[in-house]
Amino acid sequence: MTTTQHDNLHCIDIIVGSNNPVKINAAKNAIAQYYPNSTVRCQGMHAPSQVAEQPMTEAETKLGAINRARYCQQQAQVADFYVAMEGGVDHFDNGPATFAYMAIISNGTLSVGRSANLPLPPSVYNALAAGEELGHVMDRMFSTQNIKQKGGAIGLLTQGLATRESIYTQALLLAMTPFINAELFNDSTL
């Protein structure tokens, strides 16, 4: 944690590899839950994924998240956590689905997490395979605008019971465990 004091609390500084408010809020909300007595400062920055605009495999999606987090670490000022999220799609044994990978870097350590799968209608997957991006396909299908900066496909397809932010927050909470339990992850004995 940074040694900056703010109202006698430690400050946690987070850099998120996106300017999307959904991703910034998810990072801030997840990490703040682990540090309830600290002030959490979270800012976004443009960070290239170096993968396709719409990743079409798990491997590509994971790489995009890691690339974004590493870019933040290399380009941004010093922070406690560098966080990135990359949404992608793939065709699994039980059909097409969307999901997201989370990458968190702290003190030189990388933790990678993943959200649950959201099944996609075949027509949506076909549009993605033809080169479209999920947010645009969902906007057209549901007559929404810029849904990826709101509830996302998750919100639309779950009738609002889950949102892009809620799923990202959950996945980030899980990806934080190596940092919160560092002594367990650094101990190789049972």
Side-chain angles (χ1 to χ4, degrees), residues 23-28 30-31 34 83-85 101-104 113-114 165 167-177:
K23 293 181 178 184
I24 294 168
N25 289 337
K28 183 174 184 177
I31 293 172
Y34 283 114
V83 179
M85 292 146 260
Y101 269 92
M102 315 289 128
I104 305 172
R114 186 186 180 285
E165 186 174 325
I167 297 304
Y168 285 9
T169 299
Q170 179 188 52
L172 287 165
L173 283 168
L174 301 179
M176 281 290 293
T177 60

Side-chain angles (χ1 to χ4, degrees), residues 51-57 60 87-89 98 128 131-135:
V51 299
E53 197 68 29
Q54 177 59 70
M56 294 298 292
T57 65
E60 185 180 23
V89 298
T98 185
L128 301 177
E132 291 190 65
E133 193 177 338
L134 182 58

Side-chain angles (χ1 to χ4, degrees), residues 13-183:
D13 290 311
I14 305 166
I15 305 294
V16 178
S18 175
N19 287 312
N20 184 326
V22 168
K23 293 181 178 184
I24 294 168
N25 289 337
K28 183 174 184 177
N29 292 338
I31 293 172
Q33 289 182 54
Y34 283 114
Y35 300 99
N37 297 321
S38 296
T39 298
V40 176
R41 297 184 299 207
C42 189
Q43 66 180 13
M45 68 176 286
H46 171 73
S49 67
Q50 300 174 328
V51 299
E53 197 68 29
Q54 177 59 70
M56 294 298 292
T57 65
E58 277 194 284
E60 185 180 23
T61 306
K62 180 179 176 182
L63 180 60
I66 293 169
N67 287 344
R68 288 181 195 271
R70 286 190 173 139
Y71 180 88
C72 290
Q73 182 186 31
Q74 293 164 0
Q75 303 296 320
Q77 68 271 23
V78 174
D80 298 295
F81 297 99
Y82 303 94
V83 179
M85 292 146 260
E86 186 75 26
V89 298
D90 208 334
H91 199 286
F92 298 97
D93 291 342
N94 56 344
T98 185
F99 51 87
Y101 269 92
M102 315 289 128
I104 305 172
I105 299 173
S106 182
N107 293 320
T109 299
L110 170 67
S111 177
V112 176
R114 186 186 180 285
S115 74
N117 280 352
L118 173 70
L120 289 175
S123 61
V124 172
Y125 181 79
N126 292 340
L128 301 177
E132 291 190 65
E133 193 177 338
L134 182 58
H136 300 149
V137 174
M138 298 310 289
D139 280 341
R140 186 174 65 246
M141 182 179 274
F142 286 88
S143 299
T144 54
Q145 283 190 316
N146 200 17
I147 196 64
K148 70 182 189 176
Q149 291 197 0
K150 299 172 189 163
I154 295 164
L156 293 172
L157 293 173
T158 65
Q159 298 178 353
L161 295 178
T163 64
R164 191 175 189 205
E165 186 174 325
S166 72
I167 297 304
Y168 285 9
T169 299
Q170 179 188 52
L172 287 165
L173 283 168
L174 301 179
M176 281 290 293
T177 60
F179 305 116
I180 301 305
N181 301 287
E183 69 285 351

